[in-house]
Amino acid sequence: MNIKFINLKGIVVFVGILLGVQLVSGLVLTPMLSSVIVDKLNSASGSKITVEKVNVWPVTLSMSLKGLKVFDPEGKERMVAIQKASARISFVGLLSKRIVISSVNVNGAELDLKKQSDGSFNVEKIAPKEAAGKGKGISLPGGLGAKKDWFSSIYQIISSRSSREGVEKAREEKKKAGKITREVKELPRGRIVYFKTIRSGYLFEIRKMSINGLIVKAEAAPGRTVDIVDAHVRMNGIAVDPDRGAKVDSVSMGGRVMDAGKDAGRFTVSYEQGFRGNDLVSRADIVAKNINMPSLGFIYSDSLPVEVRKGQLDMDSRTIITNDAIDSVNRLVLRGQDLEPKSGSSVSVGFAPMPVLCEALDRVDPLEIKINIGGTVTDPKFSGLEDTLKKVAEPYIADIANNLKEQGMKALTGLIRKDTPEEGAQAGGAPGEREDVTQAVNSLKALFGGSDKQ
């Protein structure tokens, strides 16, 4: 009977060699070659990158960074700053000539987010040069309108993905996802054969990303930013390709809003998209507490027919989009609000002109509004909103009508009293009667023309 003994000495030697390679590379070689690594990153990127320290651990296919900063291509505006980050690279991804990062963990980061004149965001410049050269880079699907608020831009992105055309395209990709394609690269001596699937077709991919201690500086207006602090972000399925654009399977984020050093509320947002059977399902949930509305006007201002001069918002929104069908339930509570019709706007809500509606809504504190949205992404159907507004506004409109009746009758009585010169002089000169006429005129102006609010 032959007994084979395990060569413990050989195993120890082999492990020692691996450990030596790991330590020498991670602690000695890569720190010394940090400048070379950064130069390579800059040559492959559409932005300017600086790094304080880089450690690459070849045995575990991982790396760590310290003091990473990303600037615009000219190196003038900083877009991203990261204190510490670690990442694990996929070996299979490297074999297929792609950059696939299994996981990324970031601790302490700042993001300067600005919308450009063409409607894109400045962070879209962070793209491989190969992608940028083909014209798509990491531009989000659907495009971003230059004159739209952030809500409109984000809705456009989601609706593009959930439109009938977007759903059919996603279904086609799903069908092809299991198919394997064969790519052959000729060499001076022989050839290399690559086997790929549609799912592995993205040039750059991050499967999981976790960011803690994030600060986002969002440009609300030229020279003015609103900060999101104590924020965290979780993202899955981030992929970028010059031919296929960009996608994110799921993202969740939460944090506190600060405006000019003052607390402006807190929020959590989550979004995910994926197939359930043959249906493409998207879900978006938003919960907000004590949000100072003027602080975040750049997010929603173009989507409303009114200006929110002041007020705090609580919001609970749950939206599910199955293929292109919307099922959205939303509850909003406004406190201390001051609403004003936009200049030049002649919008009315069926039963009442906008000035009357704003005046009525301002008199209810807190104001609770429930909105349900059905239909499709291209033809949404709203319910509940008009009923709520009518319930709030009707008592105020009734007061105006009664006021018009009373003041009008008083004014008419004053005119009738002009039968004699003395009575006419008394009637025409009485301050109380002139005030009645003025109140009647102001009531009419409030109802049909505008508001006298300052």
Side-chain angles (χ1 to χ4, degrees):
M1 183 177 179
N2 295 324
I3 300 177
K4 295 183 178 180
F5 294 95
I6 298 175
N7 189 346
L8 294 177
K9 183 178 179 180
I11 293 176
V12 170
V13 171
F14 179 71
V15 171
I17 292 173
L18 290 180
L19 183 61
V21 171
Q22 179 88 331
L23 293 176
V24 170
S25 176
L27 299 178
V28 180
L29 293 180
T30 51
M32 292 174 59
L33 298 174
S34 290
S35 60
V36 177
I37 295 173
V38 171
D39 289 341
K40 290 293 183 182
L41 288 173
N42 283 322
S43 63
S45 172
S47 54
K48 176 71 175 178
I49 299 173
T50 63
V51 181
E52 183 180 329
K53 186 179 180 181
V54 180
N55 298 98
V56 178
W57 312 97
V59 177
T60 55
L61 284 179
S62 59
M63 64 183 299
S64 59
L65 301 172
K66 183 179 179 183
L68 171 67
K69 295 180 181 179
V70 182
F71 298 83
D72 65 0
E74 291 76 30
K76 296 179 180 179
E77 280 193 5
R78 192 195 71 182
M79 295 182 286
V80 180
I82 294 176
Q83 295 178 13
K84 294 181 180 180
S86 61
R88 188 175 295 276
I89 302 170
S90 169
F91 179 72
V92 176
L94 292 176
L95 291 179
S96 60
K97 300 189 300 182
R98 298 185 304 121
I99 301 175
V100 179
I101 301 176
S102 302
S103 62
V104 176
N105 293 293
V106 177
N107 290 299
E110 288 189 17
L111 173 64
D112 295 291
L113 195 57
K114 295 182 180 179
K115 201 171 182 182
Q116 308 297 296
S117 58
D118 62 355
S120 65
F121 286 94
N122 59 332
V123 293
E124 293 186 43
K125 297 174 183 176
I126 307 174
K129 284 186 177 179
E130 180 182 351
K134 294 188 178 182
K136 290 188 179 180
I138 62 170
S139 297
L140 297 171
L144 301 174
K147 296 183 179 180
K148 292 183 177 180
D149 58 38
W150 288 25
F151 173 81
S152 300
S153 298
I154 293 170
Y155 181 80
Q156 184 178 345
I157 294 168
I158 295 175
S159 62
S160 174
R161 176 69 172 170
S162 299
S163 66
R164 290 185 180 181
E165 295 79 7
V167 171
E168 288 304 318
K169 182 179 178 181
R171 283 174 178 163
E172 287 298 317
E173 287 193 359
K174 182 188 175 187
K175 289 179 182 178
K176 296 177 182 178
K179 297 181 180 180
I180 299 175
T181 60
R182 183 170 174 266
E183 180 182 318
V184 179
K185 182 178 181 180
E186 298 291 342
L187 299 175
R189 294 184 179 181
R191 62 181 65 178
I192 297 178
V193 180
Y194 298 96
F195 294 94
K196 296 181 178 180
T197 65
I198 291 295
R199 182 173 179 81
S200 64
Y202 285 90
L203 178 67
F204 177 77
E205 184 179 351
I206 300 177
R207 292 173 180 167
K208 291 183 180 181
M209 175 180 284
S210 175
I211 305 175
N212 295 304
L214 172 65
I215 298 175
V216 179
K217 298 181 179 295
E219 186 178 51
R224 175 175 169 262
T225 62
V226 174
D227 299 339
I228 299 173
V229 301
D230 299 334
H232 64 272
V233 177
R234 306 287 182 270
M235 303 178 74
N236 294 317
I238 308 167
V240 178
D241 187 76
D243 296 319
R244 304 173 65 187
K247 75 175 185 71
V248 178
D249 291 340
S250 68
V251 57
S252 63
M253 178 180 181
R256 293 190 299 116
V257 182
M258 301 292 291
D259 186 3
K262 296 181 179 179
D263 183 65
R266 61 177 57 247
F267 71 95
T268 59
V269 176
S270 65
Y271 170 78
E272 61 179 338
Q273 186 178 69
F275 275 96
R276 294 180 186 173
N278 198 41
D279 293 327
L280 182 64
V281 180
S282 305
R283 174 162 184 160
D285 296 338
I286 304 173
V287 177
K289 299 290 184 183
N290 300 321
I291 295 294
N292 182 44
M293 292 293 286
S295 297
L296 299 183
F298 63 97
I299 294 179
Y300 63 82
S301 60
D302 293 336
S303 301
L304 296 179
V306 299
E307 297 284 353
V308 184
R309 300 176 67 177
K310 68 176 183 179
Q312 287 188 316
L313 171 71
D314 289 350
M315 178 178 181
D316 192 343
S317 174
R318 313 287 177 183
T319 301
I320 296 176
I321 304 176
T322 304
N323 298 325
D324 65 339
I326 301 177
D327 180 10
S328 180
V329 179
N330 308 272
R331 177 178 176 270
L332 298 87
V333 178
L334 272 171
R335 297 184 304 278
Q337 69 273 11
D338 182 1
L339 309 178
E340 185 174 84
K342 286 186 175 176
S343 177
S345 174
S346 59
V347 177
S348 62
V349 184
F351 59 90
M354 191 57 68
V356 174
L357 188 59
C358 289
E359 191 76 32
L361 294 177
D362 287 347
R363 294 188 174 202
V364 180
D365 190 2
L367 171 66
E368 181 177 357
I369 300 175
K370 294 182 180 180
I371 307 172
N372 296 328
I373 308 174
T376 65
V377 293
T378 55
D379 186 21
K381 306 295 184 183
F382 294 83
S383 63
L385 175 60
E386 187 164 336
D387 291 339
T388 301
L389 298 180
K390 184 179 292 187
K391 184 178 179 181
V392 171
E394 277 184 341
Y396 177 65
I397 295 174
D399 288 343
I400 291 180
N402 290 332
N403 184 53
L404 280 171
K405 182 178 179 180
E406 292 174 5
Q407 303 303 330
M409 289 300 296
K410 289 180 180 179
L412 183 60
T413 301
L415 292 174
I416 294 174
R417 287 178 180 175
K418 290 183 177 180
D419 289 338
T420 66
E422 291 183 2
E423 289 177 348
Q426 292 174 359
E433 291 173 0
R434 288 199 304 271
E435 184 178 342
D436 291 341
V437 175
T438 301
Q439 288 180 2
V441 172
N442 287 339
S443 296
L444 282 169
K445 286 173 62 181
L447 185 59
F448 300 108
S451 174
D452 290 333
K453 289 189 303 180
Q454 300 296 323

